[in-house]
Amino acid sequence: LKDQFDNLDKHTQWGIDFLEKYAKFVKERIEIEQNYAKQLRNLVKKYCPKRSPKDEEPRFTSCIAFFNILNELNDYAGQREVVAEEMGHRVYGELMRYSHDLKTERKMHLQEGRKAQQYLDMCWKQMDNSKKKFERECREAEKAQQSYERLDNDTNATKADVEKAKQQLNLRTHMADENKNEYAAQLQNFNGEQHKHYYIVIPQIYKQLQEMDERRTIKLSECYKGFADSERKVIPIISKCLEGMILAAKSVDEHRDSQLVIDCFKSGFEPPGDFPFEDYSQNIYRTISDGTISTPKQEGMRIDTKTTVGKAKGKLWLFGKKPKPQSPPLTPTSLYTSSTPNGSQYPIFSIEPVHYCMSDIKTGKPRIPSFRSLKRGLVSYYFCLQGPALEDFSHLPPEQRRKKLQQRIDELNRELQKETDQKDALIKMKDVYEKNPQMGDPSSLQPKLTETMSNMDRLRMEIHKNEAWLSEVEGKVAARSDRRHSSDINHLVTQGRESPEGSYTDDANQEVRGPPQQHAHPNEFDDEFEDDDPLPAIGHCKAIYPFDGHNEGTLAMKEGEVLYIIEEDKGDGWTRARRHNGEEGYVPTSYIDVTLEKNSKGA
């Protein structure tokens, strides 16, 4: 390599270029990591839910697991940022600094090599000049010697010419000797410098360049390792993130989610009843029994006038049935409240928005369960039109209302506990101020203490009011459960009490309200028709709260008044009742305590 200075120059330059090329590669990898982390964070932000009220927080295990996965993915993105930061600091930054130092060192070594080469070239020129001068003087001396010999042999030459030629010869010979000595000295000096250049200076410079190139290679090796270590350091944390995602996936419980759906939408309403039997064959027997539709009763069977239903709903008119009476209309604007003994306000609604549907449900035959569902939907829609949710959640189904009230009671209890702790702290601070007046004025705490006591009283009143509502709802739910159990028993009894024509039997132990039947009357085709007989009572109720009953079709009642129940609540919140004097109408189910009789005669 002693004569490969230019090739070494090119090789070291290639080494620096390769170092910078790798640094550029690391820089682009850092940008990829940063963009990847940024895109992951944007993805998490896009699908992460906004802050929502407490009631709207996700409760399903699948949703909670997904949000946990998003959190783990956000942590994973943070680790990608750590990788990018570590690569930028440990690899890319170090490479750029080392590249700058490498360029400076290479430049210095190449300058030293060029200087040594220039010095050697200068020595060679000096030696060459002395050589050429020596050669020229030798030729001049030879010419002077030839001239002297020619004049010395010439007989015609004078002695002066011969002496002059001899002196010229001696001068040229002397100058040739001096140039010879100078050439010898320059040659010896050049040989020495050349030996020093190729055996001492250049090897030393080349050795420095070699060490520099080896350090560059070692630095690249360290950067390769650092590049991998930056990734390997975050692998444990990334593994924990992935394990968290797996745990989130395992936490999904389909049974719990199903139970949450049940709890969320459970209304507490009773399911629709069975379809009544519709006997269309009774018209066949019209001519058999003196204009009556039903078959003649067997002798010895007593007909109870209080429980006969056929006359109440089944009279025939000239071209079919008598038009059914309309259910009480209910106006959307008739929203008012009635005071209760505990001071709370209960909303009372009329039912005009569902008048058409109610008329079909109350009097139409057959009873179609879809009408009942439609009626409930319209009532719910009517409640939605009234504005924000009511304070006692009476716009909700019983089960949902109970849950909401229980949640509010729990929140009020927590607030009451906070206020109680604050009151205790203020009392202790006041005692400290009284014992040590220099720490503060005890009277300054009195306004805060009074405010806290007031808040506690207000919270207790709120808790008492909500507990009263909760007790009412739980009582209604229990009553519904008892009524459902009673209806199940009565349903079994009803199977054997209808005649083929759909009329009622006279058995006192089996008389339960059934589907309306048609009975003929001797004067049913007269110009004037007699009024319907009253419906049989299926139970009784006691008014818990007073009800004004201003709307058409409703029945006013006083607190503690006892009424007959002639038609149950079908889920719309209204029960049909009758006074002792025969006045009938609808009353709110939540205002009465209902007791159904297994035997209608007992009512």
Side-chain angles (χ1 to χ4, degrees):
L1 295 178
K2 295 179 180 179
D3 56 348
Q4 299 296 324
F5 185 82
D6 293 338
N7 291 332
L8 290 178
D9 184 7
K10 294 178 181 179
H11 174 74
T12 53
Q13 182 62 41
W14 171 86
I16 294 176
D17 293 341
F18 182 79
L19 185 71
E20 292 178 345
K21 182 178 181 180
Y22 179 70
K24 185 178 179 182
F25 161 78
V26 174
K27 181 181 179 181
E28 292 181 359
R29 170 65 188 278
I30 292 172
E31 292 176 353
I32 291 174
E33 291 289 346
Q34 291 174 344
N35 292 333
Y36 179 49
K38 183 179 179 180
Q39 291 176 1
L40 285 179
R41 289 194 181 276
N42 291 336
L43 181 65
V44 171
K45 185 178 180 181
K46 177 180 178 181
Y47 286 94
C48 203
K50 304 294 187 297
R51 292 198 173 187
S52 58
K54 187 176 180 181
D55 294 340
E56 298 179 4
E57 290 182 357
R59 297 174 295 170
F60 297 107
T61 56
S62 57
C63 297
I64 295 174
F66 176 63
F67 297 145
N68 290 336
I69 288 175
L70 289 178
N71 292 331
E72 296 294 345
L73 187 61
N74 190 55
D75 296 340
Y76 178 81
Q79 296 307 309
R80 303 318 308 178
E81 291 176 347
V82 171
V83 171
E85 183 179 357
E86 185 72 13
M87 287 183 179
H89 174 72
R90 183 176 177 182
V91 181
Y92 180 73
E94 188 68 21
L95 283 174
M96 296 307 295
R97 286 191 296 271
Y98 187 75
S99 176
H100 180 268
D101 297 340
L102 200 63
K103 288 179 181 179
T104 303
E105 183 180 359
R106 173 180 175 276
K107 182 178 179 181
M108 181 186 66
H109 294 324
L110 293 179
Q111 286 178 352
E112 291 178 355
R114 291 190 180 94
K115 287 180 180 180
Q117 188 65 39
Q118 290 174 359
Y119 180 72
L120 183 62
D121 292 341
M122 184 188 66
C123 293
W124 181 83
K125 288 181 180 180
Q126 290 179 354
M127 183 273 296
D128 186 61
N129 290 334
S130 62
K131 177 182 178 182
K132 291 179 179 179
K133 189 176 180 180
F134 171 63
E135 183 181 2
R136 186 174 58 252
E137 291 297 331
C138 287
R139 284 197 298 269
E140 292 295 333
E142 289 178 357
K143 289 180 181 180
Q145 184 176 3
Q146 291 175 1
S147 178
Y148 171 73
E149 291 177 353
R150 181 173 52 80
L151 291 175
D152 187 39
N153 294 327
D154 188 5
T155 56
N156 296 323
T158 60
K159 188 176 180 179
D161 292 337
V162 174
E163 286 294 329
K164 184 178 179 181
K166 185 178 181 180
Q167 291 178 359
Q168 187 68 26
L169 175 62
N170 292 334
L171 178 63
R172 291 297 177 183
T173 302
H174 179 69
M175 292 180 66
D177 292 337
E178 289 181 355
N179 289 321
K180 179 181 179 181
N181 294 332
E182 183 179 358
Y183 167 66
Q186 292 294 335
L187 180 60
Q188 184 178 4
N189 180 57
F190 172 75
N191 291 332
E193 292 297 334
Q194 180 175 277
H195 184 275
K196 181 180 179 182
H197 177 80
Y198 285 107
Y199 288 94
I200 299 176
V201 178
I202 290 299
Q204 185 176 1
I205 294 174
Y206 285 179
K207 184 178 181 180
Q208 292 174 351
L209 290 174
Q210 179 182 356
E211 292 174 354
M212 180 193 72
D213 192 67
E214 290 175 354
R215 289 197 307 270
R216 175 190 64 82
T217 306
I218 293 173
K219 178 59 68 175
L220 279 174
S221 175
E222 293 175 354
C223 290
Y224 295 159
K225 183 179 178 181
F227 184 84
D229 287 341
S230 301
E231 185 85 19
R232 187 175 60 182
K233 284 182 178 179
V234 300
I235 287 179
I237 303 178
I238 291 177
S239 299
K240 291 182 179 179
C241 294
L242 298 177
E243 290 175 1
M245 294 181 185
I246 295 175
L247 291 177
K250 292 181 179 179
S251 67
V252 176
D253 188 351
E254 66 278 9
H255 301 295
R256 182 179 177 186
D257 287 354
S258 299
Q259 189 61 40
L260 286 174
V261 175
I262 295 172
D263 295 340
C264 181
F265 297 108
K266 185 178 181 181
S267 65
F269 289 128
E270 295 182 6
D274 295 339
F275 280 92
F277 176 77
E278 302 296 334
D279 190 2
Y280 296 100
S281 65
Q282 55 189 344
N283 291 330
I284 302 175
Y285 305 99
R286 288 183 57 186
T287 60
I288 299 177
S289 59
D290 269 342
T292 58
I293 296 177
S294 61
T295 58
K297 306 290 182 180
Q298 296 180 3
E299 293 183 5
M301 297 185 68
R302 182 174 52 86
I303 300 177
D304 195 313
T305 57
K306 292 184 180 180
T307 58
T308 303
V309 184
K311 293 183 180 180
K313 288 194 174 181
K315 291 186 177 181
L316 291 178
W317 286 62
L318 182 59
F319 299 105
K321 290 184 180 180
K322 177 181 177 180
K324 304 301 179 183
Q326 298 293 329
S327 297
L330 197 140
T331 59
T333 56
S334 58
L335 172 63
Y336 52 92
T337 59
S338 176
S339 301
T340 61
N342 59 4
S344 60
Q345 298 293 324
Y346 282 84
I348 302 172
F349 300 96
S350 57
I351 52 175
E352 188 174 9
V354 293
H355 169 66
Y356 177 76
C357 179
M358 286 286 291
S359 64
D360 286 345
I361 293 172
K362 298 296 182 182
T363 61
K365 189 171 75 171
R367 298 190 180 188
I368 303 176
S370 61
F371 283 175
R372 183 181 302 169
S373 302
L374 175 61
K375 176 185 65 175
R376 293 176 182 174
L378 290 175
V379 171
S380 301
Y381 176 70
Y382 171 73
F383 281 123
C384 295
L385 292 178
Q386 299 304 314
L390 301 175
E391 182 184 6
D392 60 348
F393 300 111
S394 58
H395 61 290
L396 296 176
E399 192 67 23
Q400 301 302 321
R401 183 185 179 193
R402 183 185 65 78
K403 291 181 182 179
K404 290 290 185 181
L405 288 173
Q406 187 63 52
Q407 290 177 2
R408 181 186 287 173
I409 290 173
D410 295 340
E411 293 176 359
L412 291 174
N413 283 327
R414 286 193 291 269
E415 293 180 7
L416 180 60
Q417 184 62 38
K418 291 181 182 179
E419 294 292 339
T420 304
D421 296 340
Q422 185 175 0
K423 182 196 72 172
D424 296 340
L426 289 172
I427 292 175
K428 291 181 181 179
M429 188 179 296
K430 185 177 180 181
D431 293 340
V432 173
Y433 285 176
E434 289 175 352
K435 294 178 181 179
N436 301 303
Q438 66 275 9
M439 296 183 66
D441 184 11
S443 60
S444 63
L445 299 177
Q446 190 60 37
K448 185 65 176 176
L449 190 58
T450 304
E451 180 184 357
T452 304
M453 296 292 290
S454 176
N455 292 338
M456 291 175 62
D457 294 338
R458 177 181 57 81
L459 291 172
R460 289 192 183 98
M461 292 178 61
E462 289 289 333
I463 292 174
H464 179 71
K465 180 171 63 174
N466 284 272
E467 285 178 347
W469 289 334
L470 182 60
S471 300
E472 175 194 352
V473 175
E474 290 177 345
K476 289 177 62 179
V477 171
R480 288 180 182 274
S481 177
D482 295 340
R483 287 160 55 187
R484 187 182 301 112
H485 179 68
S486 176
S487 64
D488 292 340
I489 296 176
N490 293 337
H491 174 71
L492 298 176
V493 176
T494 307
Q495 303 299 324
R497 61 183 294 271
E498 291 184 358
S499 65
E501 294 81 11
S503 62
Y504 284 82
T505 65
D506 289 341
D507 188 355
N509 296 324
Q510 294 182 348
E511 283 188 305
V512 184
R513 186 184 176 195
Q517 306 298 327
Q518 294 181 348
H519 288 267
H521 192 273
N523 300 325
E524 61 182 347
F525 296 107
D526 293 344
D527 293 337
E528 294 182 359
F529 303 94
E530 64 178 356
D531 296 334
D532 291 345
D533 291 339
L535 294 174
I538 60 173
H540 66 276
C541 66
K542 183 178 181 180
I544 305 175
Y545 310 109
F547 178 58
D548 296 334
H550 293 306
N551 295 332
E552 181 182 358
T554 59
L555 180 65
M557 62 181 179
K558 298 179 181 179
E559 182 178 355
E561 184 177 0
V562 178
L563 305 173
Y564 290 125
I565 300 296
I566 60 176
E567 189 168 352
E568 294 184 61
D569 180 7
K570 301 302 181 181
D572 55 357
W574 295 92
T575 301
R576 192 173 180 182
R578 181 173 64 227
R579 281 201 178 92
H580 295 280
N581 59 7
E583 184 181 0
E584 296 182 1
Y586 288 89
V587 295
T589 307
S590 60
Y591 280 49
I592 58 177
D593 183 11
V594 179
T595 301
L596 295 179
E597 301 292 343
K598 294 184 178 180
N599 190 337
S600 61
K601 289 183 178 181

